[in-house]
Amino acid sequence: MISLKSHGQTVTYSNKVEKDIFQIELYSDQTTQYQNLEKSVYWSLPSVLFRYGLSDKIELQLVTPFTLEQVYNSNNTLTSHYMNMMQVGVLVNLLKQNNSLPEISFTYRSIIPFEENTIEKTSHILSLNLSNKMFKRFNLNYNFKYKILPKSNDVKQVIVNLGYNISNKLQLFAESSAELMSKKMISNFIIGGLSYTLMENLYLNIYYGNCLKQNTSLVGGILTWRLDTKNLIPKNQLL
């Protein structure tokens, strides 16, 4: 069985968090896959993405994914709960949008397993991120990702995400992503959802999607909290 564990809205936005902003994204989703007589369910419980604006152009990232996996068949249920790796990375903003020219950034992440021979088993993700704001209410985001996997063929991924701002607090979005390995498509997800501003610096995303190539569905959400670290230091201590 091909595992299609996903984390919902997978697009990487080209804009970085602002300098001195510390952002925490808690995401939890359920991916359910059916194949033959076997059903597999994967939960993130939740996983966490930490983002910090180091400068006007550079953002640091750390991901700690927690996973609960349950596999059902006609005879029994196998359950496992693990956090077997982490991701560390950086996002660099290259260009701001200029009329029809998109905003462009580049992301690099290393996926580091918690086991022996870590360097040999580390994976890498390279992503070119582009976005255009259009007609005041629309924004188009698209990624070209390349995943370097140890002892396996590399994976190419293309993601397109279209958002529509209904109001200052509510946005709808639709997303399509496809992964290819050795010129063969291994997954193709269509996802839709909404983003809502709960209060200043607190945001909620919810989404639902299906894989067109496999009998797989997912549902989940992301809770985002932003903190201005400059406010943590009394003004009389600032230089």
Side-chain angles (χ1 to χ4, degrees), residues 138-169:
F138 288 93
N139 54 82
L140 178 64
N141 308 279
Y142 38 111
N143 302 156
F144 302 94
K145 298 188 179 186
Y146 189 77
K147 302 178 183 180
I148 304 172
L149 308 176
K151 301 180 181 179
S152 177
N153 292 322
D154 297 339
V155 175
K156 304 175 184 68
Q157 185 179 28
V158 179
I159 304 170
V160 179
N161 176 293
L162 179 64
Y164 176 72
N165 296 309
I166 295 178
S167 68
N168 293 332
K169 287 191 172 185

Side-chain angles (χ1 to χ4, degrees), residues 80-94:
S80 56
H81 187 194
Y82 52 86
M83 187 185 81
N84 57 5
M85 57 90 173
M86 68 176 180
Q87 299 182 25
V88 294
V90 60
L91 183 150
V92 180
N93 187 272
L94 302 176

Side-chain angles (χ1 to χ4, degrees), residues 4 48 113 176:
L4 295 177
V48 188
S176 175

Side-chain angles (χ1 to χ4, degrees), residues 26-86:
L26 300 172
Y27 58 90
S28 183
D29 57 34
Q30 174 188 294
T31 303
T32 304
Q33 181 180 3
Y34 297 89
Q35 187 167 331
N36 299 324
L37 298 177
E38 192 171 83
K39 171 186 174 183
S40 298
V41 180
Y42 305 94
W43 287 88
S44 55
L45 294 172
S47 296
V48 188
L49 168 60
F50 300 97
R51 305 172 63 185
Y52 177 70
L54 184 65
S55 70
D56 292 333
K57 289 185 174 294
I58 299 175
E59 169 191 314
L60 303 180
Q61 301 180 347
L62 172 67
V63 184
T64 57
F66 298 87
T67 302
L68 172 65
E69 178 179 334
Q70 293 181 312
V71 179
Y72 305 87
N73 58 38
S74 57
N75 298 318
N76 54 51
T77 300
L78 176 64
T79 300
S80 56
H81 187 194
Y82 52 86
M83 187 185 81
N84 57 5
M85 57 90 173
M86 68 176 180

Side-chain angles (χ1 to χ4, degrees), residues 195-222:
S195 303
Y196 185 74
T197 302
L198 299 173
M199 59 180 66
E200 185 178 7
N201 295 326
L202 187 64
Y203 313 90
L204 177 67
N205 286 25
I206 57 175
Y207 50 82
Y208 175 82
N210 280 285
C211 179
L212 303 182
K213 190 170 180 62
Q214 303 284 341
N215 189 4
T216 303
S217 64
L218 65 92
V219 61
I222 305 172

Side-chain angles (χ1 to χ4, degrees), residues 108-145:
Y108 168 79
R109 282 189 191 175
S110 289
I111 304 175
I112 304 171
F114 297 148
E115 54 185 278
E116 296 181 357
N117 303 319
T118 296
I119 295 178
E120 296 177 5
K121 298 178 181 179
T122 297
S123 303
H124 307 276
I125 301 176
L126 309 174
S127 178
L128 184 65
N129 319 308
L130 303 97
S131 69
N132 291 85
K133 294 181 180 179
M134 307 177 298
F135 312 116
K136 294 183 180 181
R137 289 184 179 270
F138 288 93
N139 54 82
L140 178 64
N141 308 279
Y142 38 111
N143 302 156
F144 302 94
K145 298 188 179 186

